[in-house]
């Protein structure tokens, strides 16, 4: 199946710094990618939809100025957590659909565990 | 997308079949049923999906009732590595995104 690569897998940063997470579709082109956040023992929560060449669409309650999304190419979307604080500590996961696959299933990255000190 | 209801947890003996139920009574005609699972600290893994016919692949079988208001994911011979949270998701063909409910935490015991 299609592969979605996410990097880094784990990051620890100081409060107030910014952290960038990359999501790449390795063997297909993704016009749309999705970013999720997951707190311990909770389900995945959709944060935003990343659209290649245009602005991301954010879910209600997600601050677009804090979670900057850039989808500069058909294989790369980035999520930047700006001025991170301890409450931003979470597991961040991206996903994408392979449009050539002929169906609607999404492929997920392996996730990024962010810890803000 | 239609809302789904799953039991919060289930246990299964190793080597036995694991049957995970999902209710989606408000499903509409163009919505598919998807199953994903998430092993601790990893991204979700696709298992199977279907519209109205039963489906089988190398991982599992999906049984959808005739009225499509519920479905069951069957892992025929559960192993310890199948311990994970299993998510049942209903999604229409017009929707790009995928929204997760609480899922079922399956624990396979030796």
């Amino acid at each position: 199946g299609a592969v979605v690569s996410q990097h880094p897998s784990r990051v620890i940063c100081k409060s107030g710094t910014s952290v960038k997470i990359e999501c790449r579709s390795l063997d297909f082109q993704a016009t749309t990618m999705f970013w999720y956040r997951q707190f311990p023992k909770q389900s995945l929560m959709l944060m935003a939809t990343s659209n290649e060449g245009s602005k991301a669409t954010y879910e209600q309650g997600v601050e677009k100025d804090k979670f900057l999304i850039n989808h500069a190419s058909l294989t790369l979307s980035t999520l930047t957590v700006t001025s991170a604080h301890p409450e931003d500590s979470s597991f961040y996961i991206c996903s994408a659909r392979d449009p050539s696959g002929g169906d609607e299933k999404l492929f997920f990255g392996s996730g990024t565990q962010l810890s803000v000190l | 997308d239609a809302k789904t209801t799953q039991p919060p947890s289930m246990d299964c003996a190793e080597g036995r079949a694991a049957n995970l139920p999902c209710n989606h009574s408000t499903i509409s005609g163009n919505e598919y049923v998807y199953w994903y699972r998430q092993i601790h600290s990893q991204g979700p893994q696709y298992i199977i999906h279907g519209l109205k016919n039963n489906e089988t692949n190398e991982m599992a079988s999906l049984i959808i009732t005739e009225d499509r208001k519920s479905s069951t994911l069957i892992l025929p011979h559960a192993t310890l590595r199948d311990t994970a949270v299993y998510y049942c998701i209903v999604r229409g063909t017009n929707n790009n995104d995928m929204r997760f409910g609480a899922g079922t935490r399956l624990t396979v015991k030796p």
Side-chain angles (χ1 to χ4, degrees):
Chain A
V3 177
V4 174
S5 174
Q6 190 172 339
H7 179 80
S9 59
R10 180 178 295 272
V11 58
I12 301 172
C13 69
K14 292 182 179 179
S15 185
T17 61
S18 295
V19 174
K20 180 185 285 188
I21 302 169
E22 293 187 347
C23 180
R24 295 181 184 271
S25 55
L26 295 187
D27 49 1
F28 65 98
Q29 294 183 330
T31 55
T32 304
M33 291 185 177
F34 306 95
W35 288 95
Y36 294 82
R37 179 168 55 182
Q38 184 176 33
F39 292 107
K41 299 191 177 182
Q42 294 186 21
S43 186
L44 285 77
M45 182 176 65
L46 180 66
M47 297 176 65
T49 301
S50 169
N51 302 298
E52 188 270 335
S54 65
K55 291 182 178 180
T57 304
Y58 291 82
E59 294 298 303
Q60 190 173 11
V62 178
E63 300 175 59
K64 62 180 181 181
D65 294 331
K66 180 167 186 64
F67 299 99
L68 299 180
I69 292 172
N70 184 281
H71 196 149
S73 76
L74 288 171
T75 59
L76 174 64
S77 174
T78 61
L79 169 68
T80 300
V81 183
T82 63
S83 186
H85 291 284
E87 58 265 30
D88 298 323
S89 297
S90 187
F91 191 56
Y92 292 87
I93 309 167
C94 69
S95 72
R97 181 176 70 88
D98 179 0
S100 68
D103 57 33
E104 300 292 323
K105 60 179 180 274
L106 297 185
F107 297 94
F108 288 80
S110 55
T112 298
Q113 183 64 53
L114 171 63
S115 299
V116 184
L117 305 179
Chain B
D1 291 341
K3 181 182 171 73
T4 62
T5 304
Q6 298 177 251
S9 64
M10 292 182 64
D11 290 343
C12 176
E14 187 179 18
R16 305 296 292 269
N19 299 289
L20 292 90
C22 179
N23 286 323
H24 32 79
S25 59
T26 59
I27 192 170
S28 60
N30 69 342
E31 290 181 318
Y32 285 74
V33 180
Y34 290 81
W35 283 84
Y36 282 77
R37 72 180 182 185
Q38 185 180 27
I39 296 171
H40 183 63
S41 298
Q42 297 182 24
Q45 176 190 21
Y46 168 82
I47 301 173
I48 200 167
H49 76 286
L51 182 63
K52 55 183 179 181
N53 297 323
N54 297 338
E55 302 287 341
T56 295
N57 62 21
E58 64 279 3
M59 289 184 69
S61 294
L62 173 61
I63 308 298
I64 303 174
T65 58
E66 192 169 342
D67 63 8
R68 303 209 321 124
K69 293 185 176 181
S70 65
S71 60
T72 301
L73 177 74
I74 301 173
L75 308 179
H77 304 287
T79 71
L80 299 179
R81 289 177 295 180
D82 292 322
T83 292
V85 179
Y86 286 77
Y87 296 99
C88 167
I89 301 163
V90 172
R91 175 166 166 258
T93 54
N94 295 327
N95 294 332
N96 271 320
D97 61 42
M98 189 163 283
R99 297 172 189 266
F100 289 74
T104 295
R105 182 173 297 276
L106 174 69
T107 302
V108 181
K109 298 185 174 181

